[in-house]
Amino acid sequence: MKFGGTSVKDAEMIKRVASLTKERYNEGVEVVVVVSAMSGTTDQLIQIGENLKKRRKQEAHDLINQIEDRHKETAKKLLSNNDLVDSVLGEVDEIIGELRLLAEEMDNFIDRSFDYLMSFGERLSAPLLSAALQDNNVPSKHLTGREAGVITNQCYGSAIPLSESNKRIKESVLPLLEESVPVITGFIGCSKNGDITTLGRGGSDYSASTIGRAIEADEIWIWTDVDGLLTTDPRVVPEAQTLRRISYREAMELSFFGAEVLHPKSIEPAIEKNIPVRVKNTFTPGFEGTLIVKDEEKVEGVVKGVSAERDVALVNISGMDIIGTPGIAADAFGALADADINIIMISTGSSEPTISLLVDEKDLSRAIKALETEFSDNTIEEITHDPEVSVITVVGSGMAGTPGIAGRVFTAMGQEKINIIMISQGSSEFNISFVVKKHETNSALRSLHEEFRLDKKDYKL
Ligand code: ADP
Ligand code: ASP
Ligand code: MG
């Protein structure tokens, strides 16, 4: 069971999480808990890093003090046993001391130190939750992702667990599981040479499924602050409904294209071992939430969900030579691959002197640099870019072989006078993705939700 940041945001919520865990434990279920940082802490740690970069040490230390106070106050409110309070306060002191030392020494801003900095949120929340369990007579131990054996590659900031983690996690977690509820920090891994790595924002989901895969869990439960994986982002469309049952593939498409309730890579480990994933709401634990499984189920109306990813940017490469000159696309893709830049969407037409690429917004300046260097010989006339775009994705397994879906999607956009900048549909026909201007994202989501009557669906199991 993984609990997100809102689920552990204060003493009251941590108590709730401890009692939800205790219920399962008392039923005789073996539970491993994976926990996120208290909500807002990771953002504060990033701010600390930004301040240190700009040599604003005082601001950084003020933030560290705030983090220290919040965790200490929470411990005092949370725990009834004084020995437990003392022991948690001691641990917080130790971890905060290490953070202060890092802030003092962090002059050399390499990615590695940033991951180390970002890991402090989970390192602070895990002792609190583990103590809350002990306070409720549930034996518990806490450990970091590194101690649990989550070994990753060295892609700092978006590290990927390696297969050798399976054995290491099994060895460290299974013995603990026999006698306690282990509480493991989400988000954190460790490279082969022992440096702390992080799995990307929202990465605790990925930690949970990585650990679930290693111990071959019966189910992976993601506890969050909404009723499951919904038909769209409820902040934009309040009528969004819970998808009661959905396939791995569809959940992956929705999360890859912006449904942040699940980390985009969190489904992959579950697929490998065919483990069902449940998404549940910590605030309404009686509700079943979403069950994510292998099998696809076609629903009436075909489309199941729509999502939007805003942190993307468009790059256009143009020049008359693109028409009929073999190899230009290959050169562009090669240059981006060499710079470790992922291409989210590609579009080109045989009569068009343009290749359009969609990349992560954070990669934009590196992408342009890589392409300019690659085409410095003038084979290309112009490289333009636009960060003010979003990609909208319509998902549903039944779309394969059902004519007319694209027509309805684009008619709905036309009626809203939303201009489509780029379109892509994979041959598997599980989704249609298209790019619009960023300021039109919300109206695109609302009108598609209405067009496919997603607010009226009743996804019964
Ligand atoms: P946690 O802290 O529990 O990991 P996140 O903030 O990462 O939670 O993810 C949950 C949030 O994702 C929800 O509060 C919701 O606003 C947002 N969200 C966006 N799209 C969707 C969707 N399709 N279904 C559910 N939630 C979504
Ligand atoms: N604390 C990390 C973040 O805010 C990881 C997570 O919450 O899943 O991104
Ligand atoms: Mg999350």
Side-chain angles (χ1 to χ4, degrees):
M1 304 207 300
K2 172 259 171 176
F3 293 93
T6 337
S7 303
V8 293
K9 73 173 198 285
D10 54 27
E12 200 188 322
M13 286 305 293
I14 299 176
K15 272 186 196 165
R16 180 190 284 262
V17 166
S19 95
L20 284 172
T21 307
K22 183 179 177 161
E23 270 173 42
R24 296 279 96 73
Y25 178 78
N26 285 349
E27 286 166 5
V29 179
E30 290 179 314
V31 188
V32 177
V33 170
V34 173
V35 69
S36 288
M38 294 175 82
S39 59
T41 310
T42 310
D43 291 336
Q44 283 180 312
L45 290 164
I46 293 169
Q47 263 180 30
I48 290 172
E50 299 298 331
N51 279 319
L52 292 172
K53 242 187 212 172
K54 294 179 186 143
R55 311 271 167 220
R56 293 197 299 237
K57 272 211 165 139
Q58 191 50 50
E59 280 90 337
H61 280 284
D62 290 346
L63 281 162
I64 296 177
N65 293 341
Q66 283 178 31
I67 293 175
E68 178 182 17
D69 292 346
R70 182 179 179 194
H71 286 82
K72 285 187 169 171
E73 288 310 314
T74 305
K76 287 183 215 157
K77 269 197 211 145
L78 175 66
L79 304 165
S80 57
N81 178 318
N82 286 335
D83 290 344
L84 277 173
V85 177
D86 289 345
S87 122
V88 172
L89 292 183
E91 277 183 277
V92 172
D93 271 334
E94 209 170 291
I95 298 168
I96 291 286
E98 194 183 320
L99 178 56
R100 288 208 173 96
L101 200 65
L102 171 67
E104 278 310 311
E105 290 173 349
M106 202 167 153
D107 293 327
N108 190 4
F109 286 92
I110 43 179
D111 294 344
R112 199 171 53 195
S113 20
F114 239 93
D115 277 39
Y116 178 37
L117 173 65
M118 280 199 292
S119 73
F120 278 84
E122 273 73 8
R123 286 181 60 198
L124 285 161
S125 64
L128 288 175
L129 179 52
S130 181
L133 285 166
Q134 293 169 60
D135 212 27
N136 276 283
N137 302 316
V138 177
S140 173
K141 288 213 172 76
H142 63 87
L143 51 167
T144 63
R146 168 154 68 176
E147 289 162 341
V150 180
I151 312 293
T152 70
N153 64 10
Q154 280 176 299
C155 280
Y156 295 100
S158 54
I160 294 182
L162 302 173
S163 58
E164 58 232 65
S165 300
N166 287 332
K167 186 164 170 277
R168 295 277 294 273
I169 294 169
K170 240 186 199 162
E171 281 167 6
S172 60
V173 176
L174 288 182
L176 289 178
L177 197 52
E178 277 171 26
E179 59 199 44
S180 68
V181 174
V183 175
I184 306 175
T185 61
F187 190 43
I188 307 177
C190 153
S191 72
K192 274 187 193 164
N193 36 10
D195 298 324
I196 285 191
T197 54
T198 57
L199 311 190
R201 292 309 305 270
S204 299
D205 306 324
Y206 194 15
S207 304
S209 58
T210 298
I211 292 164
R213 168 178 59 191
I215 62 168
E216 300 187 36
D218 295 316
E219 294 200 7
I220 296 165
W221 289 18
I222 306 292
W223 290 89
T224 184
D225 57 0
V226 286
D227 270 346
L229 179 57
L230 308 183
T231 47
T232 194
D233 187 340
R235 289 166 298 188
V236 180
V237 183
E239 299 79 25
Q241 298 290 309
T242 301
L243 292 155
R244 302 297 287 269
R245 186 190 177 105
I246 190 162
S247 66
Y248 288 139
R249 181 66 194 274
E250 291 162 313
M252 272 168 85
E253 301 276 6
L254 286 169
S255 64
F256 182 77
F257 286 106
E260 72 184 64
V261 63
L262 287 173
H263 182 284
K265 293 192 82 64
S266 61
I267 298 295
E268 278 170 35
I271 293 179
E272 272 181 50
K273 296 276 177 202
N274 197 14
I275 306 172
V277 178
R278 242 179 228 288
V279 184
K280 283 176 68 81
N281 191 343
T282 314
F283 296 89
T284 56
F287 183 67
E288 279 173 51
T290 300
L291 180 63
I292 306 171
V293 288
K294 185 169 167 221
D295 303 326
E296 268 111 32
E297 195 181 43
K298 291 197 181 184
V299 295
E300 195 193 322
V302 174
V303 168
K304 292 190 189 164
V306 288
S307 59
E309 178 57 67
R310 293 168 173 79
D311 299 331
V312 291
L314 190 66
V315 179
N316 291 311
I317 308 169
S318 44
M320 289 316 285
D321 278 357
I322 289 178
I323 307 174
T325 311
I328 291 188
D331 291 346
F333 301 158
L336 293 175
D338 289 344
D340 248 337
I341 293 166
N342 186 30
I343 305 173
I344 301 167
M345 255 167 86
I346 301 163
S347 135
T348 177
S350 50
S351 64
E352 271 238 11
T354 307
I355 299 172
S356 302
L357 304 166
L358 197 71
V359 296
D360 270 344
E361 201 172 346
K362 68 172 174 26
D363 294 335
L364 178 61
S365 53
R366 286 194 308 120
I368 291 169
K369 214 185 214 168
L371 292 168
E372 280 173 353
T373 312
E374 178 66 34
F375 297 114
S376 54
D377 58 354
N378 294 332
T379 36
I380 288 302
E381 282 154 27
E382 202 181 18
I383 298 172
T384 58
H385 63 271
D386 184 358
E388 288 304 314
V389 296
S390 294
V391 55
I392 309 286
T393 301
V394 179
V395 174
S397 61
M399 281 161 63
T402 308
I405 303 296
R408 284 173 69 187
V409 169
F410 297 122
T411 304
M413 293 302 95
Q415 275 161 359
E416 291 293 311
K417 305 215 171 355
I418 295 173
N419 185 37
I420 313 278
I421 301 169
M422 179 176 172
I423 302 174
S424 144
Q425 180 184 26
S427 56
S428 67
E429 297 179 56
F430 266 69
N431 75 40
I432 297 173
S433 298
F434 56 94
V435 175
V436 300
K437 282 301 232 182
K438 208 165 263 176
H439 68 267
E440 291 176 326
T441 312
N442 289 358
S443 50
L445 284 182
R446 279 190 213 109
S447 68
L448 288 168
H449 204 263
E450 207 173 294
E451 169 61 32
F452 291 99
R453 301 175 65 80
L454 298 178
D455 54 330
K456 306 285 189 312
K457 287 274 154 31
D458 185 13
Y459 289 97
K460 291 252 156 53
L461 283 175

